[in-house]
Amino acid sequence: MRHRGRYLCESLLWLGTVASFFLPSPATAKGPAVLDPRYGLELFASQPDIVTPIGATFDARGRLLVIESHTHFTPEDYAGPKHDRLRIIEDTDGDGRADRFRTFFDGMQFAMGVRRGPDDWIYVVTRNEVFRIRDADGDDVAEIREPIVRLKTDGNYPHNGLGGLAFDGQGRLCFGLGENLGAAYTLVAADGSTWHGGGEGGSLFRCTSHGAQLERLATGFWNPFGLCFDPAGRMFAVDNDPDSRPPCRLLNVVPTGDYGYQFRYGRSGKHPLQAWDGELPGTLSMASGTGEAPCAVLAFDGGLWVTSWGSNRLERFSLTPMGATCKARFAIAVQGDHLFRPVDFALASDGSLFFTDWVNRSYPVHGQGRIWRLHVKSPAAADAIPATWPELSIAEHAARQMAEGMTDGPMPSQAALVSALSDEDPFYRQAAVARLVALGQAKLPTVASLTEPLARVSVVVAHRWLAANGSISEKGRIAAEAIVRQSLNDTDERVKLLAIRWIADFRMDVFRPALEQLAATDSTSPRLFSAVFAARSWLDGGSNGDRAAEDRRLRNVWENASKPVSLRATALKLMPVNSPLLDAELLARIVRLDSAVDSGADSAGRLQGNQSPLAREASHLLALRTGGDAAAILSVIATDQTLPPERRADAVAGLAQFAKQHSHTLATAANDPDPIVAREARRIAPPKGSKANAAETGSNTSDRPSVFDTEAWLTRLGPHGNAEAGWRVFFSQAGGKCATCHMLDGRGANIGPDLTGIVARMGRRRVLQSLLEPSREIGPGYQAYALHLVDGRVLNGLSLGLTDEAQKERFVEPDGRETAVAVDTIESRVPLTTSIMPQGLEQDLTDDDLRDLLALLGE
């Protein structure tokens, strides 16, 4: 399951009786639908015989073992057991329904998963421990318990610690560690081997089946809940996504792979030093996006199957080798309603697939649960995905041999290894990195000895991996600094970026002057500049850092006319809206001067075109300013017909917050000869007697489709739009008011998910559907509640977390207002079936508004 936003569930105080009264029973819900005719689906067990089931496996005797969760955000007065327990579930009469339930093991806290291992051992993972158990005397109760790995940390959130279990082809145990809220940690294996970390996000580890030779396998995850190996020996993980960086990921995991995410740089996933799909040098891409909150992945019937807890479905992925990795093709196999929340798989000896079902979206244990059995009922149809596994490609085979010597044949020569370091395929390069890591520091070639930039990137990646354990020696520190210094002076931007990430990751303050110099260099690209800025902020104490000092550095860049305009615009874009180093008159001068320099003028003296990015950023900042100094200047720009219409329209959008004081300006602008300016003014102050001019603004709503007919809406709106106009729809107080709750490119509020580039990630159809039907699916992190207070009042709101030393809880109400409520005045809270995002937003937006907004969100 997935946690998002501000960990709302940590403060949930429901009464168990209240939860059970208001939440529908699964007995009354419509069962999940099988969308592939080859499969049949039956209910195997359900409440009260099994409740809140998560992990599942089969023992050596073919009996189903299922973890019952009873400690995950336990409500007050919960009537269930005090600990999580592992249950034996059997169908003794062969009628397809479970009829015998016994406890095999008890006493667990925050249990996460279970897998059968070698020699009939059952391996269990909880938030803080991996251990194995066995029944030695045949009484169906495990009395032998042996530790494998222990997680030592101050982190205590139930499901962002250890989780996910799988055994590789050599019998080694692989397991995951989640982002742990960035807390420092130490992993200690049974043989005393350790790993130290903190802040880097999630990682995968492995050790022997009895807990020896602990090593980190891969990193860069959020919460890798599910792991598996396919029949060809490929390793896969499903990874939940950060707060505002969907989609969740299906990942082909390779040794020493870095998949890009680091918790230390914030939860949004949009930080310049984070990657989600291989965007940064040294990071790897996903095999496919998945549905919301994937919990498990398993090889079954020729494909990889994934439980999507948040999207209420089972997904099936067919694999296609692509170089040294695989890409995956997605299909929905089973789709349920809001009371279908699949979690974990177990493969039976007869070839059928069992999976657990949490039932409802609330995190606290709730006394509901189901177990389903899916089986193949007919041969594959002609158009079905073939139930075959792709063999390893030549590149995959060579990469595996190079990385771990796991296939037959000689190991590559040193020359072949160096050649692989510069291969265009990032997964093949990563195999070479893994071999270098295995050879050790002494065998690594020097960065200066390599002529190919990608080879230098690869060697820096290997050095960084070897230096990652938190207990680095003084000698190791000195060696690392030497590599970083060389990399910062490299001629290739990718090598520089990797060095900047390394500096920030390890807070190598000794390189602060070098970062200052890089930021001041004219040849520094906007991408590199953003990374330098982010690294300096982290060195200054975190993402906030010394804000005033950073603003002064940014100002030095965007004021410098000798620097490239794209770099100056990037620096201006990074400035806070109400920075004391900016004032309205200064921004207005940038709009006027940079528009003039960039665009030129026609014979009537009017500036043409959409102008310079610097002028655009200045006009956006000016429109967003909340200080009184902006209003008069916005009014002047709005009516200055020598300026480009897009910049004038930005000024009109900014006047929405001062509409009463500047009603005359808005009325004048509503009749402006330029339709771009007039449209924006008419949104704020439509002509008397009508909401807006339908012919000019595209607001004719009489023939609009139903909000439930997304396809008709997509046809109506078409594929095109104006992102500039969409920016005004997003941020104007007379537009969609999206910025009241959402972020875009670092601007706006952090109540809902960040919408930067969301169309590219989720697709135009799904984004439009979410706008038209905001309550269709509510992510667990955005669950709103009806708060019943002790004085009889009822408040509807979304929690923003605790404040005042945990004495109060902040809530945002449906109208966007924020309220603080004393925690001890909350008598109970009941989950709402509606989203905090209001229904009917499309009624206040024209067709042009909607298509422009989609264009903006697709950039």
Side-chain angles (χ1 to χ4, degrees), residues 170-232:
Q170 296 178 314
R172 293 175 295 190
L173 175 65
C174 302
F175 59 93
L177 171 64
E179 36 78 20
N180 198 38
L181 279 181
Y185 68 88
T186 298
L187 283 173
V188 183
D191 70 341
S193 53
T194 62
W195 181 271
H196 305 275
E200 74 275 21
S203 294
L204 298 183
F205 296 85
R206 68 184 174 193
C207 61
T208 67
S209 61
H210 56 278
Q213 301 170 27
L214 175 69
E215 59 179 334
R216 187 173 65 156
L217 177 63
T219 193
F221 306 93
W222 172 259
N223 277 309
F225 288 141
L227 313 176
C228 80
F229 288 86
D230 75 3

Side-chain angles (χ1 to χ4, degrees), residues 384-501:
I385 299 174
T388 57
W389 289 101
E391 297 181 357
L392 291 175
S393 67
I394 294 175
E396 285 181 295
H397 195 279
R400 187 178 302 184
Q401 179 175 327
M402 181 159 40
E404 293 200 62
M406 294 175 65
T407 58
D408 296 332
M411 293 301 296
S413 65
Q414 182 72 7
L417 183 60
V418 171
S419 174
L421 293 173
S422 58
D423 196 275
E424 289 298 319
D425 184 339
F427 280 82
Y428 195 69
R429 288 201 307 273
Q430 195 63 41
V433 170
R435 175 48 44 192
L436 289 180
V437 169
L439 293 173
Q441 191 87 32
K443 297 287 187 178
L444 292 183
T446 63
V447 177
S449 69
L450 301 168
T451 57
E452 291 291 331
L454 283 176
R456 298 199 296 275
V457 167
S458 299
V459 169
V460 175
V461 168
H463 278 287
R464 184 168 172 264
W465 181 272
L466 288 169
N469 199 325
S471 57
I472 187 171
S473 66
E474 179 65 14
K475 182 178 179 181
R477 182 189 64 77
I478 294 173
E481 288 181 0
I483 298 295
V484 171
R485 188 168 291 106
Q486 293 177 34
S487 302
L488 276 180
N489 293 319
D490 200 276
T491 56
D492 191 88
E493 180 175 293
R494 292 166 295 185
V495 181
K496 284 186 170 74
L497 271 171
L498 194 54
I500 292 168
R501 288 184 71 206

Side-chain angles (χ1 to χ4, degrees), residues 693-706:
N693 187 308
E696 292 183 9
T697 64
S699 61
N700 182 15
T701 61
S702 61
D703 62 343
R704 279 180 158 183
S706 162

Side-chain angles (χ1 to χ4, degrees), residues 577-623:
V577 169
N578 291 309
S579 170
L581 296 183
L582 294 173
D583 60 66
E585 185 56 51
L586 173 62
L587 292 170
R589 285 201 302 272
I590 297 174
V591 171
R592 293 190 183 98
L593 293 176
D594 211 60
S595 294
V597 169
D598 187 69
S599 301
D602 64 9
S603 58
R606 293 178 301 227
L607 296 175
Q608 302 300 303
N610 264 354
Q611 346 60 281
S612 142
L614 188 62
R616 181 185 303 114
E617 292 304 328
S619 71
H620 286 179
L621 277 168
L622 186 56

Side-chain angles (χ1 to χ4, degrees), residues 825-836:
T825 66
I826 303 174
E827 187 173 71
S828 65
R829 60 186 86 195
V830 179
L832 297 175
T833 58
T834 55
S835 171
I836 195 74

Side-chain angles (χ1 to χ4, degrees), residues 24-26 29-34 41-43 292-293 305-315 332-345 354-361 368-374 777:
S25 166
K30 183 180 179 181
V34 181
L41 183 67
E42 301 93 24
L43 183 64
E292 184 74 3
W305 289 61
V306 170
T307 57
S308 177
W309 187 90
S311 297
N312 319 103
R313 66 195 186 202
L314 300 187
E315 301 167 345
I332 300 174
V334 178
Q335 180 67 63
D337 61 11
H338 67 288
L339 292 179
F340 181 61
R341 301 283 169 171
V343 181
D344 195 23
F345 291 119
F354 286 71
F355 57 93
T356 62
D357 179 1
W358 186 264
V359 176
N360 73 55
R361 67 188 174 204
Q368 301 179 46
R370 297 180 293 199
I371 298 173
W372 301 87
R373 174 181 176 266
L374 183 138
E777 173 68 20

Side-chain angles (χ1 to χ4, degrees), residues 12-20 70 73-82 364-367 827-828:
L12 291 181
L13 303 172
W14 307 2
L15 295 175
T17 54
V18 172
S20 62
H70 295 282
F73 295 119
T74 307
E76 293 181 4
D77 300 332
Y78 180 62
K82 299 301 182 184
V365 290
H366 42 65
E827 187 173 71
S828 65

